[in-house]
Amino acid sequence: MNGDEGYPVGAVAKIAKVTVRTLHHYDEIGLLSPAGRTRSGYRRYVDADLDRLQQILFYRELGFALEEIAAILDDDSVSPSEHLRRQHALLTDRIRHLQELATAVEHAMEARRMGVQLTPEEKFEIFGEGYREEWEQEAEQRWGRTEAWAESQRRTGGYGKEDWQRIQGEMTALNTRLVEALTAGEPADGTVAMDLAEEHRQHISRNFYDCTFTIHRGLGCLYVQDPRWTTTYEELAPGLAQWLHDAIVANADRRENA
């Protein structure tokens, strides 16, 4: 390419949100060499160069080394469509991993709020590899002065690993039934949904503290207002967070007005 056509390096850096130094480095190692130069020797990039840069930045975001990216992009046996399929698979794996971390956050917060008494190793084993002990501090700051918190601390003080495994197993089984009811089209204010909501409340009362209907309503609001809780239920089934919230409210209204 001759003349001044194409994009100067500064413009490309601005478009891609990278530094000019990064583009110079990519050129020096042969990862992204511009299609041409001006008569004065300045780099000029064309649309095909920008497409390649987009691919480079995508793989960099996923943690690939520059040498690996060069090998991937320079493989003539891989078509552009195959690159897209590969990227889709990589993104799907990343989303799944983030969803697993969100679930671990929910488990950790619930455990702390309810006074879990486990070693760090046992916490990671039961609540998942995404568990972070600093999440416990947030729960204590929010509920540490409530009677429910104090009661859960007293009641769970003697819980061991087997107790927490049982509790987690019960909740997993209940969540499965919630998903089945939602999938079957059961209305949130129907008998099936309200009975499941009552089981949810009784599970908390049986294992942690007296979960009144007022407290249960508050938990239902938390499920739709706190993105971490919402993500946990939405991962189980789209719409489950709102459905459970509505079922909790309907059950509380039914019981209190009986």
Side-chain angles (χ1 to χ4, degrees), residues 10-116:
V12 174
K14 184 176 181 180
I15 292 171
K17 295 182 174 59
V18 298
T19 65
V20 170
R21 182 177 179 180
T22 294
L23 294 175
H24 286 175
H25 179 61
Y26 288 171
D27 186 10
E28 291 168 0
I29 65 176
L31 180 59
L32 177 66
S33 296
R37 304 261 179 172
T38 67
R39 294 181 180 86
S40 301
Y42 294 107
R43 296 173 174 83
R44 281 294 184 270
Y45 296 81
V46 297
D47 288 340
D49 297 328
L50 298 186
D51 289 341
R52 183 177 174 91
L53 176 58
Q54 185 181 46
Q55 299 292 319
I56 293 169
L57 297 179
F58 171 83
Y59 284 112
R60 284 293 288 163
E61 178 67 22
L62 292 178
F64 283 76
L66 295 181
E67 295 79 3
E68 294 175 310
I69 297 173
I72 292 171
L73 298 183
D74 293 337
D75 185 353
D76 295 333
S77 66
V78 180
S79 67
S81 295
E82 180 59 30
H83 274 301
L84 290 175
R85 284 191 290 270
R86 175 183 293 171
Q87 292 168 10
H88 182 270
L90 290 170
L91 285 173
T92 300
D93 287 342
R94 174 65 66 86
I95 291 171
R96 176 187 55 77
H97 178 64
L98 291 175
Q99 288 175 333
E100 290 174 351
L101 289 180
T103 300
V105 171
E106 185 270 336
H107 288 165
M109 289 181 64
E110 183 175 8
R112 177 58 178 174
R113 179 170 58 84
M114 297 174 177
V116 62

Side-chain angles (χ1 to χ4, degrees), residues 14-235:
K14 184 176 181 180
I15 292 171
K17 295 182 174 59
V18 298
T19 65
V20 170
R21 182 177 179 180
T22 294
L23 294 175
H24 286 175
H25 179 61
Y26 288 171
D27 186 10
E28 291 168 0
I29 65 176
L31 180 59
L32 177 66
S33 296
R37 304 261 179 172
T38 67
R39 294 181 180 86
S40 301
Y42 294 107
R43 296 173 174 83
R44 281 294 184 270
Y45 296 81
V46 297
D47 288 340
D49 297 328
L50 298 186
D51 289 341
R52 183 177 174 91
L53 176 58
Q54 185 181 46
Q55 299 292 319
I56 293 169
L57 297 179
F58 171 83
Y59 284 112
R60 284 293 288 163
E61 178 67 22
L62 292 178
F64 283 76
L66 295 181
E67 295 79 3
E68 294 175 310
I69 297 173
I72 292 171
L73 298 183
D74 293 337
D75 185 353
D76 295 333
S77 66
V78 180
S79 67
S81 295
E82 180 59 30
H83 274 301
L84 290 175
R85 284 191 290 270
R86 175 183 293 171
Q87 292 168 10
H88 182 270
L90 290 170
L91 285 173
T92 300
D93 287 342
R94 174 65 66 86
I95 291 171
R96 176 187 55 77
H97 178 64
L98 291 175
Q99 288 175 333
E100 290 174 351
L101 289 180
T103 300
V105 171
E106 185 270 336
H107 288 165
M109 289 181 64
E110 183 175 8
R112 177 58 178 174
R113 179 170 58 84
M114 297 174 177
V116 62
Q117 301 294 321
L118 298 172
T119 67
E121 293 78 9
E122 289 172 333
K123 291 177 182 178
F124 278 94
E125 178 183 347
I126 295 174
F127 302 116
E129 64 179 12
Y131 179 82
R132 297 292 182 273
E133 288 199 336
E134 57 263 29
W135 296 326
E136 299 179 4
Q137 300 174 3
E138 177 183 348
E140 185 170 6
Q141 289 173 355
R142 296 182 66 174
W143 295 292
R145 297 182 179 179
T146 65
E147 292 183 6
W149 175 275
E151 182 181 353
S152 71
Q153 291 289 316
R154 290 193 299 269
R155 292 172 60 179
T156 61
Y159 283 5
K161 178 179 178 180
E162 292 183 358
D163 296 303
W164 288 107
Q165 288 176 327
R166 172 187 57 78
I167 292 169
Q168 286 298 111
E170 291 175 359
M171 182 53 69
T172 298
L174 179 56
N175 284 341
T176 298
R177 295 170 61 200
L178 291 170
V179 171
E180 291 173 348
L182 172 65
T183 304
E186 294 288 348
D189 59 352
T191 301
V192 172
M194 289 190 291
D195 287 348
L196 286 171
E198 179 62 17
E199 287 190 41
H200 183 274
R201 188 180 73 87
Q202 292 293 339
H203 172 81
I204 297 172
S205 295
R206 186 170 58 252
N207 292 293
F208 306 111
Y209 55 85
D210 180 19
C211 184
T212 65
F213 293 111
T214 299
I215 292 176
H216 206 209
R217 280 195 180 95
L219 290 174
C221 290
L222 192 65
Y223 298 159
V224 294
Q225 294 175 358
D226 189 318
R228 291 165 294 190
W229 286 83
T230 303
T231 298
T232 296
Y233 283 110
E234 292 301 294
E235 180 185 355

